[in-house]
Amino acid sequence: MEFIIISIISIILVIILKYLFGYNIRKIKEIAENKELDEISKKYPSNVEICKEYLQKLNNQDVKIEENKDTEASLYIALTNKISIANISKSYTRIQTIAHECLHSVQDRKLLIFNFIFTNIYLIYFVIISIMVILKLLPYELMFLTILLLLGLVYYSVRVYLENDAMIKARYLAKEYLEEKKISDDEEINKIVSGFDYINNIGIKCVNYNLFFGIMVKVLIFSIMCIVR
């Protein structure tokens, strides 16, 4: 009975927060498509060059840089100290996205490593207890679900801090870069930065919701398995 209640609460929380956060991934993609701003961004150097210039500004030039044209997700890999730039060369958002990943590279390394290790522990724990409950080898399911939720809250707290810090600062680093390059006039720079602001206004809330959603999905899946086992 308790797992039915937990499942219902999880679904209600996800629906309420989706409404409150205004989660709409399609809208973000539509906002990111702006032909005028894309044309302006073509004046700027390649993604790798922009990345190198950001890292120089941040006094962190030991980071490896690579372009991965087979993916749409850029990321900073803390263990290898590497930035992987996605296939974003035609979008004006690249100027802020690359700034975002460069800012990850100068965050507290202990926190970055902890996030990587803890995330994997969290995922492995979820897989193990899920297999065990399916095989009916897991006693005290509610206790293990409570632990899963606590691990999820720690994961959420650390990840949200790292992402919000990089997302908020990226806008200012990107604007500073645009002004220093003197490639565009003030009007063009303001248009690009306004585009960043518009994306961030929705995007930051969507990232926070998406992280929470991932946690609640695991709770819901485990609860359902406990119900039908």
Side-chain angles (χ1 to χ4, degrees), residues 113-131:
I113 297 296
F114 172 82
N115 176 65
F116 177 83
I117 294 172
F118 190 85
T119 298
N120 283 283
I121 291 173
Y122 172 50
L123 294 175
I124 291 169
Y125 175 81
F126 171 68
V127 171
I128 290 173
I129 63 171
S130 297
I131 293 172

Side-chain angles (χ1 to χ4, degrees), residues 45-227:
S46 68
N47 292 339
V48 172
E49 286 303 313
I50 291 176
C51 192
K52 287 179 180 178
E53 291 178 280
Y54 278 139
L55 292 171
Q56 186 172 7
K57 282 174 62 64
L58 296 169
N59 194 27
N60 188 31
Q61 295 168 268
D62 295 329
V63 181
K64 303 179 188 72
I65 305 168
E66 70 172 22
E67 276 195 285
N68 187 350
K69 295 183 179 180
D70 296 326
T71 180
E72 295 182 358
S74 298
L75 70 156
Y76 170 68
I77 306 167
L79 284 185
T80 56
N81 195 29
K82 180 173 71 176
I83 292 174
S84 177
I85 304 172
N87 185 21
I88 52 173
S89 58
K90 296 180 181 180
S91 174
Y92 77 96
T93 59
R94 69 192 181 101
I95 298 171
Q96 181 178 243
T97 299
I98 296 170
H100 176 103
E101 301 308 330
C102 289
L103 285 163
H104 273 314
S105 75
V106 294
Q107 288 175 325
D108 188 329
R109 186 158 181 80
K110 290 183 291 185
L111 198 56
L112 290 168
I113 297 296
F114 172 82
N115 176 65
F116 177 83
I117 294 172
F118 190 85
T119 298
N120 283 283
I121 291 173
Y122 172 50
L123 294 175
I124 291 169
Y125 175 81
F126 171 68
V127 171
I128 290 173
I129 63 171
S130 297
I131 293 172
M132 290 183 70
V133 79
I134 290 171
L135 298 175
K136 298 182 180 181
L137 299 175
L138 192 71
Y140 312 114
E141 291 99 339
L142 192 57
M143 180 188 73
F144 284 95
L145 176 60
T146 302
I147 294 171
L148 177 67
L149 185 56
L150 290 173
L151 292 176
L153 290 175
V154 174
Y155 160 77
Y156 180 83
S157 300
V158 175
R159 186 70 183 275
V160 160
Y161 167 75
L162 292 172
E163 291 302 329
N164 284 357
D165 178 66
M167 285 188 288
I168 292 168
K169 290 179 179 177
R171 182 261 192 200
Y172 297 98
L173 180 61
K175 184 182 182 208
E176 187 178 299
Y177 172 80
L178 292 170
E179 291 171 343
E180 289 178 355
K181 291 298 289 183
K182 300 185 185 301
I183 293 175
S184 299
D185 57 30
D186 290 342
E187 183 181 354
E188 288 183 335
I189 291 174
N190 288 334
K191 284 182 179 179
I192 292 177
V193 174
S194 293
F196 294 158
D197 289 338
Y198 195 22
I199 289 174
N200 293 343
N201 183 47
I202 300 173
I204 291 175
K205 290 185 288 185
C206 285
V207 168
N208 290 325
Y209 170 79
N210 202 43
L211 291 172
F212 175 80
F213 177 78
I215 293 169
M216 297 314 297
V217 164
K218 292 179 182 63
V219 170
L220 181 60
I221 290 171
F222 183 77
S223 297
I224 292 172
M225 286 191 293
C226 290
I227 294 169

